[in-house]
Amino acid sequence: MYPDARCALNFRNPFELLIATMLAAQATDKSVNRVTPALFAKAPTPEAMLLLTQEELEDLIKSIGLYRNKGRNILAACRILVEKHGGQVPGYREGLEKLPGVGRKTANVVLAEAFQEPAIAVDTHVFRVSNRLGLAQAKDVVKTEQDLMNNIPRDLWAKAHHWLIFHGRQVCHARKPACGVCRLAECCREYTGLKRETGEETE
DNA sequence: AACTCGGGGCA
DNA sequence: TGCCCAGAGTT
């Protein structure tokens, strides 16, 4: 297990988790954590967020990239939270996925971490690594979610999820996986397959 | 399935 | 420089 195998985003409640996860799309957790303290100080609730103009919001988050989409989506999402959910973050999939800027992955993060619902969020790392290892069967993310939930004991979901992400980032890279230092190489479907093809030469 | 949004981190 | 970042929405 990697030393900091826990959620790398900083948050204190479901609302902060939702916003931080929305901001994290195609951005590093580090850059998100850099902007959230100031953001949540000004806008700790959906109601407070709506007091910001889109320009003010964009200014607070622009260092993470994709800030125009994210700013617009966050304000629209907060409007829905206030008007349809009493200012609370809904704890069910349909409510979450109807929020603009919230897709399958972000909804799963909130469901699992804020509401202890059975969900594993499959991002690019989890998808790639679990399919390479053979924990899932490379169809689509929903299939991968189900494979993971079937192949991993529930009390290990969170740890396994974080492990898959960190492993993907640090070892099992998309282009050049560091199979030489991977402790799972010998039982990795991709690695052993490659080894067969190249005639036992892989390092 | 492919494309767009997009500035910053890091080698 | 070039590649990548705990994706989502549209065409």
PDB file of all heavy atoms in Angstrom, chain A residues 7 29 101 106 125 161 175, chain C residues 3-9:
ATOM      1  N   CYS A   7      -8.022   9.668   0.075  1.00  0.00           N
ATOM      2  CA  CYS A   7      -8.464  10.685  -0.862  1.00  0.00           C
ATOM      3  C   CYS A   7      -7.561  11.888  -0.752  1.00  0.00           C
ATOM      4  O   CYS A   7      -7.295  12.398   0.330  1.00  0.00           O
ATOM      5  CB  CYS A   7      -9.895  11.098  -0.567  1.00  0.00           C
ATOM      6  SG  CYS A   7     -10.502  12.341  -1.701  1.00  0.00           S
ATOM      7  N   ASP A  29      -5.135  16.794  -8.210  1.00  0.00           N
ATOM      8  CA  ASP A  29      -5.660  17.003  -6.866  1.00  0.00           C
ATOM      9  C   ASP A  29      -4.919  18.141  -6.169  1.00  0.00           C
ATOM     10  O   ASP A  29      -5.501  18.915  -5.423  1.00  0.00           O
ATOM     11  CB  ASP A  29      -5.553  15.714  -6.060  1.00  0.00           C
ATOM     12  CG  ASP A  29      -4.177  15.081  -6.182  1.00  0.00           C
ATOM     13  OD1 ASP A  29      -3.387  15.524  -7.037  1.00  0.00           O
ATOM     14  OD2 ASP A  29      -3.894  14.144  -5.428  1.00  0.00           O
ATOM     15  N   GLY A 101     -22.068  19.131 -15.061  1.00  0.00           N
ATOM     16  CA  GLY A 101     -20.675  18.950 -14.692  1.00  0.00           C
ATOM     17  C   GLY A 101     -20.440  17.735 -13.824  1.00  0.00           C
ATOM     18  O   GLY A 101     -19.302  17.429 -13.473  1.00  0.00           O
ATOM     19  N   THR A 106     -17.865  11.411 -10.873  1.00  0.00           N
ATOM     20  CA  THR A 106     -18.023  12.345  -9.765  1.00  0.00           C
ATOM     21  C   THR A 106     -19.161  11.910  -8.854  1.00  0.00           C
ATOM     22  O   THR A 106     -19.053  11.963  -7.626  1.00  0.00           O
ATOM     23  CB  THR A 106     -18.290  13.761 -10.300  1.00  0.00           C
ATOM     24  OG1 THR A 106     -17.191  14.155 -11.123  1.00  0.00           O
ATOM     25  CG2 THR A 106     -18.452  14.755  -9.172  1.00  0.00           C
ATOM     26  N   HIS A 125      -7.317   6.081 -14.435  1.00  0.00           N
ATOM     27  CA  HIS A 125      -6.316   5.224 -13.796  1.00  0.00           C
ATOM     28  C   HIS A 125      -6.914   3.897 -13.368  1.00  0.00           C
ATOM     29  O   HIS A 125      -6.353   2.839 -13.629  1.00  0.00           O
ATOM     30  CB  HIS A 125      -5.725   5.915 -12.567  1.00  0.00           C
ATOM     31  CG  HIS A 125      -4.930   7.126 -12.894  1.00  0.00           C
ATOM     32  ND1 HIS A 125      -3.886   7.109 -13.780  1.00  0.00           N
ATOM     33  CD2 HIS A 125      -5.032   8.400 -12.460  1.00  0.00           C
ATOM     34  CE1 HIS A 125      -3.382   8.324 -13.877  1.00  0.00           C
ATOM     35  NE2 HIS A 125      -4.052   9.121 -13.087  1.00  0.00           N
ATOM     36  N   HIS A 161      -9.378   1.177  -4.325  1.00  0.00           N
ATOM     37  CA  HIS A 161      -9.597   2.286  -5.249  1.00  0.00           C
ATOM     38  C   HIS A 161      -8.433   3.252  -5.232  1.00  0.00           C
ATOM     39  O   HIS A 161      -7.872   3.612  -6.263  1.00  0.00           O
ATOM     40  CB  HIS A 161     -10.889   2.998  -4.853  1.00  0.00           C
ATOM     41  CG  HIS A 161     -11.202   4.177  -5.689  1.00  0.00           C
ATOM     42  ND1 HIS A 161     -11.219   5.461  -5.185  1.00  0.00           N
ATOM     43  CD2 HIS A 161     -11.492   4.284  -7.003  1.00  0.00           C
ATOM     44  CE1 HIS A 161     -11.510   6.295  -6.163  1.00  0.00           C
ATOM     45  NE2 HIS A 161     -11.704   5.632  -7.259  1.00  0.00           N
ATOM     46  N   ARG A 175       1.386   5.169 -21.025  1.00  0.00           N
ATOM     47  CA  ARG A 175       2.287   4.884 -22.144  1.00  0.00           C
ATOM     48  C   ARG A 175       3.405   3.931 -21.780  1.00  0.00           C
ATOM     49  O   ARG A 175       3.634   2.934 -22.436  1.00  0.00           O
ATOM     50  CB  ARG A 175       2.910   6.196 -22.655  1.00  0.00           C
ATOM     51  CG  ARG A 175       1.909   7.194 -23.153  1.00  0.00           C
ATOM     52  CD  ARG A 175       1.348   6.775 -24.504  1.00  0.00           C
ATOM     53  NE  ARG A 175       0.329   7.707 -24.961  1.00  0.00           N
ATOM     54  CZ  ARG A 175       0.601   8.885 -25.485  1.00  0.00           C
ATOM     55  NH1 ARG A 175       1.853   9.267 -25.607  1.00  0.00           N
ATOM     56  NH2 ARG A 175      -0.370   9.686 -25.875  1.00  0.00           N
TER      57      ARG A 175
ATOM     58  P    DC C   3       4.129  14.112 -27.133  1.00  0.00           P
ATOM     59  OP1  DC C   3       4.530  12.894 -27.866  1.00  0.00           O
ATOM     60  OP2  DC C   3       3.164  15.068 -27.712  1.00  0.00           O
ATOM     61  O5'  DC C   3       3.601  13.664 -25.708  1.00  0.00           O
ATOM     62  C5'  DC C   3       4.502  13.053 -24.783  1.00  0.00           C
ATOM     63  C4'  DC C   3       3.909  13.114 -23.404  1.00  0.00           C
ATOM     64  O4'  DC C   3       3.985  14.455 -22.894  1.00  0.00           O
ATOM     65  C3'  DC C   3       2.430  12.714 -23.343  1.00  0.00           C
ATOM     66  O3'  DC C   3       2.275  11.684 -22.399  1.00  0.00           O
ATOM     67  C2'  DC C   3       1.711  13.986 -22.926  1.00  0.00           C
ATOM     68  C1'  DC C   3       2.811  14.722 -22.173  1.00  0.00           C
ATOM     69  N1   DC C   3       2.645  16.191 -22.112  1.00  0.00           N
ATOM     70  C2   DC C   3       2.771  16.843 -20.876  1.00  0.00           C
ATOM     71  O2   DC C   3       3.032  16.163 -19.880  1.00  0.00           O
ATOM     72  N3   DC C   3       2.615  18.172 -20.805  1.00  0.00           N
ATOM     73  C4   DC C   3       2.346  18.872 -21.916  1.00  0.00           C
ATOM     74  N4   DC C   3       2.202  20.193 -21.801  1.00  0.00           N
ATOM     75  C5   DC C   3       2.207  18.239 -23.186  1.00  0.00           C
ATOM     76  C6   DC C   3       2.364  16.900 -23.237  1.00  0.00           C
ATOM     77  P    DC C   4       0.870  10.903 -22.334  1.00  0.00           P
ATOM     78  OP1  DC C   4       1.158   9.474 -22.189  1.00  0.00           O
ATOM     79  OP2  DC C   4      -0.025  11.397 -23.390  1.00  0.00           O
ATOM     80  O5'  DC C   4       0.319  11.433 -20.939  1.00  0.00           O
ATOM     81  C5'  DC C   4       1.163  11.379 -19.787  1.00  0.00           C
ATOM     82  C4'  DC C   4       0.558  12.249 -18.699  1.00  0.00           C
ATOM     83  O4'  DC C   4       0.707  13.628 -19.052  1.00  0.00           O
ATOM     84  C3'  DC C   4      -0.933  12.007 -18.477  1.00  0.00           C
ATOM     85  O3'  DC C   4      -1.157  11.592 -17.147  1.00  0.00           O
ATOM     86  C2'  DC C   4      -1.588  13.345 -18.762  1.00  0.00           C
ATOM     87  C1'  DC C   4      -0.431  14.317 -18.576  1.00  0.00           C
ATOM     88  N1   DC C   4      -0.581  15.566 -19.350  1.00  0.00           N
ATOM     89  C2   DC C   4      -0.541  16.789 -18.668  1.00  0.00           C
ATOM     90  O2   DC C   4      -0.373  16.788 -17.446  1.00  0.00           O
ATOM     91  N3   DC C   4      -0.694  17.933 -19.371  1.00  0.00           N
ATOM     92  C4   DC C   4      -0.878  17.883 -20.686  1.00  0.00           C
ATOM     93  N4   DC C   4      -1.028  19.036 -21.337  1.00  0.00           N
ATOM     94  C5   DC C   4      -0.922  16.648 -21.404  1.00  0.00           C
ATOM     95  C6   DC C   4      -0.766  15.518 -20.697  1.00  0.00           C
ATOM     96  P    DC C   5      -2.573  11.066 -16.722  1.00  0.00           P
ATOM     97  OP1  DC C   5      -2.368   9.864 -15.895  1.00  0.00           O
ATOM     98  OP2  DC C   5      -3.459  11.036 -17.877  1.00  0.00           O
ATOM     99  O5'  DC C   5      -3.059  12.235 -15.754  1.00  0.00           O
ATOM    100  C5'  DC C   5      -2.226  12.602 -14.663  1.00  0.00           C
ATOM    101  C4'  DC C   5      -2.758  13.878 -14.040  1.00  0.00           C
ATOM    102  O4'  DC C   5      -2.636  14.946 -14.989  1.00  0.00           O
ATOM    103  C3'  DC C   5      -4.234  13.813 -13.642  1.00  0.00           C
ATOM    104  O3'  DC C   5      -4.401  14.383 -12.360  1.00  0.00           O
ATOM    105  C2'  DC C   5      -4.923  14.664 -14.717  1.00  0.00           C
ATOM    106  C1'  DC C   5      -3.848  15.680 -15.023  1.00  0.00           C
ATOM    107  N1   DC C   5      -3.944  16.287 -16.366  1.00  0.00           N
ATOM    108  C2   DC C   5      -3.943  17.688 -16.469  1.00  0.00           C
ATOM    109  O2   DC C   5      -3.877  18.363 -15.440  1.00  0.00           O
ATOM    110  N3   DC C   5      -4.009  18.253 -17.696  1.00  0.00           N
ATOM    111  C4   DC C   5      -4.078  17.478 -18.790  1.00  0.00           C
ATOM    112  N4   DC C   5      -4.150  18.067 -19.973  1.00  0.00           N
ATOM    113  C5   DC C   5      -4.077  16.045 -18.706  1.00  0.00           C
ATOM    114  C6   DC C   5      -4.005  15.502 -17.484  1.00  0.00           C
ATOM    115  P    DA C   6      -4.386  13.526 -11.030  1.00  0.00           P
ATOM    116  OP1  DA C   6      -4.264  14.383  -9.845  1.00  0.00           O
ATOM    117  OP2  DA C   6      -3.515  12.332 -11.194  1.00  0.00           O
ATOM    118  O5'  DA C   6      -5.925  13.152 -11.154  1.00  0.00           O
ATOM    119  C5'  DA C   6      -6.409  12.116 -10.527  1.00  0.00           C
ATOM    120  C4'  DA C   6      -7.710  11.658 -11.110  1.00  0.00           C
ATOM    121  O4'  DA C   6      -8.166  10.702 -10.173  1.00  0.00           O
ATOM    122  C3'  DA C   6      -8.847  12.673 -11.238  1.00  0.00           C
ATOM    123  O3'  DA C   6      -9.873  12.155 -12.065  1.00  0.00           O
ATOM    124  C2'  DA C   6      -9.327  12.756  -9.815  1.00  0.00           C
ATOM    125  C1'  DA C   6      -9.217  11.281  -9.401  1.00  0.00           C
ATOM    126  N9   DA C   6      -8.873  11.101  -7.997  1.00  0.00           N
ATOM    127  C8   DA C   6      -7.842  11.644  -7.303  1.00  0.00           C
ATOM    128  N7   DA C   6      -7.812  11.316  -6.044  1.00  0.00           N
ATOM    129  C5   DA C   6      -8.896  10.485  -5.909  1.00  0.00           C
ATOM    130  C6   DA C   6      -9.417   9.810  -4.818  1.00  0.00           C
ATOM    131  N6   DA C   6      -8.898   9.862  -3.593  1.00  0.00           N
ATOM    132  N1   DA C   6     -10.525   9.061  -5.026  1.00  0.00           N
ATOM    133  C2   DA C   6     -11.055   9.003  -6.247  1.00  0.00           C
ATOM    134  N3   DA C   6     -10.643   9.603  -7.358  1.00  0.00           N
ATOM    135  C4   DA C   6      -9.556  10.342  -7.109  1.00  0.00           C
ATOM    136  P    DG C   7      -9.706  12.439 -13.738  1.00  0.00           P
ATOM    137  OP1  DG C   7      -9.578  11.161 -14.404  1.00  0.00           O
ATOM    138  OP2  DG C   7      -8.681  13.456 -13.905  1.00  0.00           O
ATOM    139  O5'  DG C   7     -11.084  13.132 -14.198  1.00  0.00           O
ATOM    140  C5'  DG C   7     -12.199  12.316 -14.521  1.00  0.00           C
ATOM    141  C4'  DG C   7     -13.388  13.229 -14.695  1.00  0.00           C
ATOM    142  O4'  DG C   7     -13.103  14.193 -15.725  1.00  0.00           O
ATOM    143  C3'  DG C   7     -14.659  12.516 -15.118  1.00  0.00           C
ATOM    144  O3'  DG C   7     -15.736  13.172 -14.503  1.00  0.00           O
ATOM    145  C2'  DG C   7     -14.640  12.632 -16.620  1.00  0.00           C
ATOM    146  C1'  DG C   7     -13.980  13.999 -16.824  1.00  0.00           C
ATOM    147  N9   DG C   7     -13.178  14.092 -18.044  1.00  0.00           N
ATOM    148  C8   DG C   7     -12.356  13.130 -18.563  1.00  0.00           C
ATOM    149  N7   DG C   7     -11.746  13.515 -19.650  1.00  0.00           N
ATOM    150  C5   DG C   7     -12.201  14.804 -19.862  1.00  0.00           C
ATOM    151  C6   DG C   7     -11.895  15.727 -20.875  1.00  0.00           C
ATOM    152  O6   DG C   7     -11.125  15.582 -21.834  1.00  0.00           O
ATOM    153  N1   DG C   7     -12.582  16.924 -20.711  1.00  0.00           N
ATOM    154  C2   DG C   7     -13.439  17.203 -19.676  1.00  0.00           C
ATOM    155  N2   DG C   7     -13.992  18.398 -19.670  1.00  0.00           N
ATOM    156  N3   DG C   7     -13.728  16.348 -18.716  1.00  0.00           N
ATOM    157  C4   DG C   7     -13.082  15.176 -18.873  1.00  0.00           C
ATOM    158  P    DA C   8     -17.244  12.636 -14.676  1.00  0.00           P
ATOM    159  OP1  DA C   8     -17.903  12.870 -13.378  1.00  0.00           O
ATOM    160  OP2  DA C   8     -17.247  11.303 -15.271  1.00  0.00           O
ATOM    161  O5'  DA C   8     -17.829  13.677 -15.730  1.00  0.00           O
ATOM    162  C5'  DA C   8     -17.815  15.051 -15.390  1.00  0.00           C
ATOM    163  C4'  DA C   8     -18.400  15.886 -16.505  1.00  0.00           C
ATOM    164  O4'  DA C   8     -17.466  15.940 -17.607  1.00  0.00           O
ATOM    165  C3'  DA C   8     -19.715  15.346 -17.077  1.00  0.00           C
ATOM    166  O3'  DA C   8     -20.622  16.424 -17.127  1.00  0.00           O
ATOM    167  C2'  DA C   8     -19.341  14.822 -18.447  1.00  0.00           C
ATOM    168  C1'  DA C   8     -18.150  15.693 -18.818  1.00  0.00           C
ATOM    169  N9   DA C   8     -17.178  15.070 -19.709  1.00  0.00           N
ATOM    170  C8   DA C   8     -16.662  13.803 -19.628  1.00  0.00           C
ATOM    171  N7   DA C   8     -15.770  13.522 -20.554  1.00  0.00           N
ATOM    172  C5   DA C   8     -15.690  14.688 -21.292  1.00  0.00           C
ATOM    173  C6   DA C   8     -14.921  15.043 -22.407  1.00  0.00           C
ATOM    174  N6   DA C   8     -14.058  14.227 -22.995  1.00  0.00           N
ATOM    175  N1   DA C   8     -15.070  16.299 -22.890  1.00  0.00           N
ATOM    176  C2   DA C   8     -15.936  17.125 -22.298  1.00  0.00           C
ATOM    177  N3   DA C   8     -16.709  16.903 -21.246  1.00  0.00           N
ATOM    178  C4   DA C   8     -16.541  15.655 -20.778  1.00  0.00           C
ATOM    179  P    DG C   9     -22.121  16.188 -17.619  1.00  0.00           P
ATOM    180  OP1  DG C   9     -22.978  17.051 -16.796  1.00  0.00           O
ATOM    181  OP2  DG C   9     -22.372  14.737 -17.720  1.00  0.00           O
ATOM    182  O5'  DG C   9     -22.079  16.798 -19.092  1.00  0.00           O
ATOM    183  C5'  DG C   9     -21.631  18.130 -19.254  1.00  0.00           C
ATOM    184  C4'  DG C   9     -21.625  18.489 -20.714  1.00  0.00           C
ATOM    185  O4'  DG C   9     -20.505  17.854 -21.361  1.00  0.00           O
ATOM    186  C3'  DG C   9     -22.871  18.051 -21.473  1.00  0.00           C
ATOM    187  O3'  DG C   9     -23.349  19.149 -22.233  1.00  0.00           O
ATOM    188  C2'  DG C   9     -22.406  16.899 -22.352  1.00  0.00           C
ATOM    189  C1'  DG C   9     -20.934  17.263 -22.570  1.00  0.00           C
ATOM    190  N9   DG C   9     -20.061  16.114 -22.804  1.00  0.00           N
ATOM    191  C8   DG C   9     -20.055  14.933 -22.105  1.00  0.00           C
ATOM    192  N7   DG C   9     -19.155  14.086 -22.542  1.00  0.00           N
ATOM    193  C5   DG C   9     -18.530  14.755 -23.584  1.00  0.00           C
ATOM    194  C6   DG C   9     -17.481  14.351 -24.440  1.00  0.00           C
ATOM    195  O6   DG C   9     -16.867  13.269 -24.442  1.00  0.00           O
ATOM    196  N1   DG C   9     -17.160  15.338 -25.356  1.00  0.00           N
ATOM    197  C2   DG C   9     -17.759  16.559 -25.443  1.00  0.00           C
ATOM    198  N2   DG C   9     -17.321  17.383 -26.394  1.00  0.00           N
ATOM    199  N3   DG C   9     -18.745  16.958 -24.655  1.00  0.00           N
ATOM    200  C4   DG C   9     -19.078  16.013 -23.756  1.00  0.00           C
TER     201       DG C   9
END
